Amino acid sequence: MTEHAVVIVGGGPTGLMLAAELALAQVDVAIVERRQNQDLPSSRAGGLHARTIEIFDQRGVADRFLAQGKTGRVAGFSFIPLDLSDFPTRHNYVLALRQNQIERIMANWVGELAVKFYRGCELTGFAQDETSVNVELSDGRSLRAKYLAGCDGAHSLIREQAGIDFPGWEASTSYLIAEAEMADEPAWGVRRGEKGVNALGKLEDGKRVGIVLVEPHVRKGDAPTLQELREALVAVYGTDFGVRNPTWLSRFTDMARQAASYRDRRVLLAGDAAHVHSPAGGQGLNIGIQDAVNLGWKLAQVVKETSPESLLDTYHRERHPIGARVLRLTVAQTALGRGDDRTEALRETMSELLRMDEPRKRYAAIMSGLDIHYDLGEGHPLLGRRMPDLDVVSSNGPLRVFTLLHAARPVLLNLDEPDGFDITPWASRVQLIDAKYDRAWELPVLGRVTAPSAVLIRPDGYVAWVGDRTQRGLTDALITWFGPPAAA
């Protein structure tokens, strides 16, 4: 039996991100992935939101994605445009980039790190006890890990075998999504139907058509037939345009479900294994990556025994409300996408509302992930929010705050007089940086905020403490997030 500190099942974006976070923390991590390589049969998800791009920037790899994608200043809420161009971030845009490209870039990055892959096999079962999890694979091999992470998608076997409930909304609509050839010229563009949006678009090769169709009746199962695709085209357009040779054909619904708990002892869930919903608004891949970044550093510290196991409870406490909000938003967007007269009146009202500055900023921040606020108690507006990527000046010259997070280590950033803090008991875990910043502080939605004297930044880029040289509350924050002080 081969042993690892952490075994991740599922090598999609969530699993890859979690593996990268653990590897950066020098944790022995392995990925079990049923695909022999990172190839996908289709493009799937279509882009990255601003906060996800910031996360990649925090790790120093954002340029790899930006070099292959196309930026646009507008996010969308059920096809209602939301302008991001005035947001206080370096990445005030959406990056159009297909999932197959996103995964390829991520896999290349993870390949540079110390991550073991078990490809071409699947998890068939596991058993956990007080100290470890034994994992059985379809090729007959067995693995043992301190922790098992289920990044194995909507039909998660790990979630099922852990006995974690998966409540939510049943499907009210099903869609076919395909890439295929058409003998006849299709009706390009978007056509809104009574139950939702249909679309036909030309793919990059100029020969195939990307197809999204609302089915006349709700159907389940993710392996539809070419005949079902033809029938759905006829139902919407009156013809099937001679559709043929699909390179990819699948089905999704507006079902929305969320795991009742993201953790069962030594088993943790992230990404689609923890929450499934309609792809409206392009949220799924993005919040899966954000799940992984929230979990990764916490799991690393518990594995390395610098923090108690109770730190893992904060993963569910922080991320479950974010997932629940995304479910509500996607359900709302799906409902707003219907084409009957009453819904059209609602959509016109929502469009008018979202053209107003304050609602536009609020919903653009929600859709982009820039408004995330973890409840870390009362205090400065920065507490529990993302740290802005400021251009500060240290004793070594100018630098960006995000560069301090490339190694996924926490930072105590002192913006007051130098040498005002002593964190010697945590010196091996937390970077202490003295720097200056003399410009205004601005946060998405909130706008200008009072300049803090010092901030404690977690490895995921969120602020765990705001204070000054009195250090009131700092020791408690260091112990809470980065473990008890090291022995002298």
Side-chain angles (χ1 to χ4, degrees), residues 130-249:
E130 292 182 358
T131 61
S132 62
V133 186
N134 291 338
V135 177
E136 301 300 327
L137 303 183
S138 57
D139 62 3
R141 285 185 288 187
S142 298
L143 306 176
R144 178 181 287 125
K146 293 181 180 179
Y147 289 91
L148 173 65
C151 303
D152 52 339
H155 304 292
S156 171
L157 181 62
I158 291 177
R159 184 189 64 236
E160 179 183 330
Q161 292 198 1
I164 297 174
D165 289 340
F166 202 43
W169 289 278
E170 289 288 350
S172 68
T173 306
S174 62
Y175 294 80
L176 294 179
I177 183 168
E179 295 175 358
E181 296 176 1
M182 287 184 171
D184 303 325
E185 182 78 7
W188 301 112
V190 173
R191 178 175 295 189
R192 199 177 300 275
E194 183 177 343
K195 293 186 176 182
V197 173
N198 306 279
L200 301 177
K202 187 175 293 186
L203 296 177
E204 292 87 345
D205 62 9
K207 299 176 182 178
R208 293 173 301 143
V209 179
I211 305 166
V212 178
L213 293 170
V214 181
E215 295 189 275
H217 306 286
V218 178
R219 292 180 173 177
K220 298 182 179 180
D222 55 4
T225 65
L226 179 58
Q227 182 58 32
E228 288 174 327
L229 178 62
R230 288 172 174 153
E231 291 171 0
L233 282 164
V234 170
V236 175
Y237 297 97
T239 175
D240 64 11
F241 302 107
V243 67
R244 63 194 181 192
N245 300 331
T247 53
W248 183 59
L249 175 57

Side-chain angles (χ1 to χ4, degrees), residues 65-81:
F65 299 88
L66 296 173
Q68 295 193 30
K70 183 177 181 181
T71 60
R73 297 291 183 182
V74 177
F77 184 86
S78 192
F79 293 94
I80 300 171

Side-chain angles (χ1 to χ4, degrees), residues 63-133:
D63 287 348
R64 305 186 189 195
F65 299 88
L66 296 173
Q68 295 193 30
K70 183 177 181 181
T71 60
R73 297 291 183 182
V74 177
F77 184 86
S78 192
F79 293 94
I80 300 171
L82 301 169
D83 185 13
L84 299 169
S85 61
D86 59 349
F87 272 40
T89 170
R90 294 181 196 276
H91 305 292
N92 54 351
Y93 46 77
V94 176
L95 183 69
L97 187 64
R98 295 296 186 183
Q99 183 172 335
N100 50 6
Q101 296 169 284
I102 293 169
E103 285 201 26
R104 196 172 299 117
I105 296 167
M106 294 185 74
N108 288 339
W109 174 39
V110 171
E112 298 166 10
L113 307 172
V115 177
K116 169 71 175 178
F117 277 85
Y118 295 91
R119 289 194 177 274
C121 59
E122 302 178 59
L123 173 140
T124 57
F126 67 89
Q128 60 173 317
D129 57 33
E130 292 182 358
T131 61
S132 62
V133 186

